[in-house]
Amino acid sequence: MRPAIMPQPRIMLVVTGDDFGYCPRRNQGIVDCFQAGGISNVSLLVNASAAKEAADLAKRHNIPIGLHANLSEGIPVCQSLQQASTLINQHGFFHGKMGFRQALERGQLSMKQVELELRAQVRLFRELTGHLPHHMDGHQHVHVLPKVREVFAQVLSDLRIPYTRVPVEPGLHDCPWLPAHLQSFYTQVEKDALDSIPVFARYGIRWPDIYLGLTTMGQNMSVPNIQRALSHALAAGPSGTTSSSASDSNPPAVTVELMVHPGYPSHPQEGGCGDGPDDFSKSADRQHELSVLRDPSLLALYSQERVQLCAFKDL
């Protein structure tokens, strides 16, 4: 039971369940997690196989929902880009997490086509949900990549989508449990995200003070690791790099987004964005995250540390 009057929260925490729509088992896990108080927000993959079901579930359960813009997995939403475009390979699929980055580095991607696809995904999101996304981020962090970030910011600004994600995580570099290949990928994501800050700021786009989630993915998620991440967030405090403002005599609550991927393991042939579910999706990692996020000791920790779960629209 929550006390009737909560003291001023120290942290306003948006816990975003990514990849909503990926498969029916992911959808079910995300809904179960939301109902247990473990997440407060979801990010929809509109080109995924169970996107319509996900949008209907969000409506039915009143789950705050944004767009997980996808340029790397599956097939484009924009029909004119499905036959021949710089965004797809010879099989008609996006180039993949690393393939997209390599094609971008080689100057092989048309930014006009990136814009067309992003706008088509927002249009489809609106058709599925009946409203514009409250926030929009990038699947596999594509939205902070060079050149893409400018197009992304322009689209958000034009459509008045107020919030995005800036994946710069305090405490990322002293995580002994991260394998070298992940540490190096995350370091690159962080560099791209830092370079995106002036671009997003110029377009008037907002984001929470602190981002968490790279150090707590899959088997690395535990109540102590989330507690550690929240301590780093409090230590970093509201930073000058964000657009949050507080005209209040109380010290402002730190706004934080925690990116998570709860769900039940995908069935082998069911799900994905057109080319089947990936290994992470079929693994037990998703269910592990689901268990941790609805662990009563984590929910008790939130209450004890004055962490208030909320959605982007509440910031």
Side-chain angles (χ1 to χ4, degrees), residues 14-243:
V14 181
V15 185
T16 305
D18 277 1
D19 305 341
F20 199 37
Y22 196 84
C23 72
R25 308 247 311 147
R26 175 75 48 81
N27 290 351
Q28 191 54 55
I30 282 178
V31 170
D32 290 351
C33 200
F34 177 77
Q35 291 184 313
I39 59 171
S40 54
N41 206 82
V42 293
S43 219
L44 179 69
L45 281 168
V46 291
N47 75 332
S49 64
K52 181 170 185 342
E53 179 200 69
D56 293 343
L57 285 166
K59 265 183 230 168
R60 186 180 322 150
H61 298 288
N62 209 14
I63 305 175
I65 188 167
L67 175 59
H68 204 41
N70 184 2
L71 299 172
S72 56
E73 186 180 354
I75 51 179
V77 161
C78 180
Q79 285 188 318
S80 66
L81 302 178
Q82 288 172 0
Q83 304 312 316
S85 76
T86 64
L87 303 186
I88 57 173
N89 61 24
Q90 68 270 34
H91 307 295
F93 292 115
F94 284 134
H95 298 294
K97 179 166 94 170
M98 300 318 286
F100 182 88
R101 286 165 164 81
Q102 286 153 7
L104 181 67
E105 269 176 40
R106 296 190 201 115
Q108 292 167 342
L109 301 180
S110 153
M111 288 304 116
K112 185 71 209 146
Q113 291 176 352
V114 165
E115 182 179 353
L116 280 172
E117 179 58 21
L118 290 175
R119 290 182 186 275
Q121 291 192 17
V122 175
R123 266 198 310 279
L124 180 53
F125 179 96
R126 200 170 187 170
E127 284 165 27
L128 291 170
T129 64
H131 61 80
L132 280 168
H134 302 304
H135 66 98
M136 179 167 157
D137 55 43
H139 184 47
Q140 299 168 338
H141 310 291
V142 294
H143 67 300
V144 294
L145 289 169
K147 298 199 183 122
V148 178
R149 59 176 81 110
E150 277 86 1
V151 178
F152 188 85
Q154 182 71 62
V155 169
L156 265 66
S157 171
D158 288 352
L159 298 173
R160 294 190 168 79
I161 298 168
Y163 276 98
T164 193
R165 168 185 290 170
V166 174
V168 176
E169 179 163 358
L172 176 65
H173 298 287
D174 48 357
C175 271
W177 59 83
L178 288 179
H181 73 282
L182 274 186
Q183 188 68 262
S184 106
F185 177 67
Y186 292 163
T187 301
Q188 188 57 52
V189 167
E190 178 182 70
K191 182 192 177 305
D192 292 329
L194 288 166
D195 291 343
S196 300
I197 286 174
V199 178
F200 293 162
R202 195 167 70 242
Y203 281 90
I205 294 154
R206 302 165 69 192
W207 57 92
D209 296 321
I210 307 287
Y211 162 86
L212 304 172
L214 297 177
T215 63
T216 53
M217 270 180 78
Q219 294 301 319
N220 294 326
M221 185 178 283
S222 64
V223 176
N225 280 0
I226 292 177
Q227 185 166 16
R228 170 192 176 278
L230 290 171
S231 303
H232 276 292
L234 274 174
S239 65
T241 57
T242 80
S243 47

Side-chain angles (χ1 to χ4, degrees), residues 4-16:
I5 300 169
M6 283 263 301
Q8 181 80 11
R10 296 164 75 208
I11 293 179
M12 298 281 288
L13 179 65
V14 181
V15 185
T16 305

